[in-house]
Amino acid sequence: MAETPRSPAELRSMFGANLRLLAQPYPSISELSRQLGINRTQFNRYLSGESFPRPDVLARICSFFSVDARVLLEPVDNIGRGNDPMTGPFLRDYVGKGVSDVSESTFPSGFYRFSRRSFLSSEQFISGLVHVFRDGQTTFIRGYEARAAMESQGLATDRTAREFRGMVLRQDDGIAALISRKDAMTASFNFLSRVTSFENNYWVGYVTRTVRESPESDRVVRMVYEHLGSGIGKAKAACKTSGYCQLEDLLPFHQRLLQPEIPFR
């Protein structure tokens, strides 16, 4: 039996409900309207189900939120967003919920200095720099492996080979990050929780890498993140000191948080 055609009013109502749901993570409708390039008054008419967008405006809205034109016909919760498995119906309320719910107050955008013990040598440590940024509702992370660390493993040291990227997920007691090198050559899982400090800009946790067990190296070590803000000056300074180092070369508070004398459990 053919489905009963829906009236224009029903379609406008469906689109308005979907648009309200998509707009929920954004703190300001005015700012969202500006990003979309849509007049605020007209956008409010879409939200209330009073009006349909023109085809070109609909295409812009679908592209911005990574949904398709079914947003006019059925609840957005049923269709997911594009081909993204994180927002599809199977993972949306599980992994997808954590991906789309990392607030700036939980884990701010900007540059972070990190430090950890080397996986390959318990006597060495690594200091590095990563950049955390938002794109829509997703929080991403990007950085580069230390050149010396790549050389010690007989791996290529060009910029592409050293780069890693990942996404951040909200957890009950902090954040997690799934990170990989290009072509998924290797991956790591990071967990960090905020440390009470004077500037409230430190996170401590651990990182585990996806390699086979070996008696000569570790797969899990403690890790410290220090938020440096969005300014390029501190980031450049941190970048100059990145790479292999000794424990005494790390900043004192990093040393304290890493607790090198206590085995990781």
Side-chain angles (χ1 to χ4, degrees):
M1 181 181 297
E3 184 178 341
T4 304
R6 302 181 196 177
S7 69
E10 289 174 323
L11 293 175
R12 288 196 302 270
S13 178
M14 175 62 69
F15 178 69
N18 283 336
L19 193 58
R20 291 193 299 274
L21 184 62
L22 292 169
Q24 279 181 357
Y26 296 85
S28 168
I29 294 298
S30 295
E31 175 61 20
L32 179 56
S33 301
R34 188 191 66 77
Q35 291 186 44
L36 286 165
I38 300 173
N39 177 272
R40 167 67 187 271
T41 300
Q42 186 60 50
F43 192 70
N44 281 339
R45 296 186 68 199
Y46 299 155
L47 289 170
S48 64
E50 297 177 22
S51 177
F52 273 142
R54 301 190 313 264
D56 60 314
V57 177
L58 175 62
R60 196 187 315 157
I61 291 171
C62 289
S63 176
F64 182 86
F65 290 112
S66 299
V67 296
D68 58 46
R70 285 178 295 166
V71 73
L72 293 169
L73 303 174
E74 56 185 298
V76 71
D77 278 347
N78 294 343
I79 62 177
R81 303 189 188 169
N83 295 318
D84 185 357
M86 296 298 178
T87 56
F90 186 71
L91 293 179
R92 180 184 56 239
D93 295 331
Y94 295 83
V95 180
K97 179 62 175 175
V99 169
S100 62
D101 196 22
V102 183
S103 67
E104 282 283 351
S105 60
T106 298
F107 196 59
S109 298
F111 294 99
Y112 288 78
R113 183 196 343 249
F114 72 85
S115 61
R116 61 171 174 81
R117 190 187 296 274
S118 167
F119 288 122
L120 303 178
S121 171
S122 61
E123 301 302 316
Q124 289 186 305
F125 290 78
I126 286 181
S127 177
L129 183 74
V130 297
H131 184 228
V132 172
F133 62 96
R134 262 78 178 174
D135 185 358
Q137 299 179 64
T138 306
T139 303
F140 294 103
I141 189 167
R142 181 184 189 186
Y144 293 87
E145 297 279 2
R147 191 182 302 274
M150 301 290 282
E151 290 175 342
S152 66
Q153 299 174 74
L155 301 174
T157 59
D158 59 276
R159 187 177 180 86
T160 300
R162 292 169 49 227
E163 183 177 0
F164 56 83
R165 300 182 184 184
M167 61 182 180
V168 180
L169 299 81
R170 179 188 57 78
Q171 304 286 279
D172 275 348
D173 192 31
I175 62 97
L178 179 62
I179 298 174
S180 177
R181 286 170 49 215
K182 192 171 184 180
D183 297 323
M185 292 294 293
T186 60
S188 67
F189 174 83
N190 301 245
F191 173 77
L192 298 164
S193 59
R194 201 163 203 156
V195 176
T196 301
S197 64
F198 180 72
E199 295 185 4
N200 207 30
N201 62 331
Y202 285 90
W203 284 255
V204 66
Y206 60 87
V207 52
T208 178
R209 59 179 184 152
T210 56
V211 296
R212 295 181 182 183
E213 184 177 6
S214 168
E216 288 82 30
S217 60
D218 293 321
R219 288 183 297 173
V220 184
V221 295
R222 285 195 191 91
M223 183 168 62
V224 172
Y225 265 44
E226 177 190 359
H227 186 227
L228 302 177
S230 57
I232 198 67
K234 288 185 177 181
K236 282 185 175 180
C239 189
K240 290 179 181 179
T241 61
S242 64
Y244 279 125
C245 63
Q246 299 300 309
L247 176 63
E248 58 268 22
D249 298 322
L250 297 176
L251 295 174
F253 200 50
H254 282 243
Q255 297 181 37
R256 175 181 169 185
L257 292 176
L258 286 175
Q259 302 181 82
E261 72 285 355
I262 302 176
F264 180 83
R265 299 187 187 282

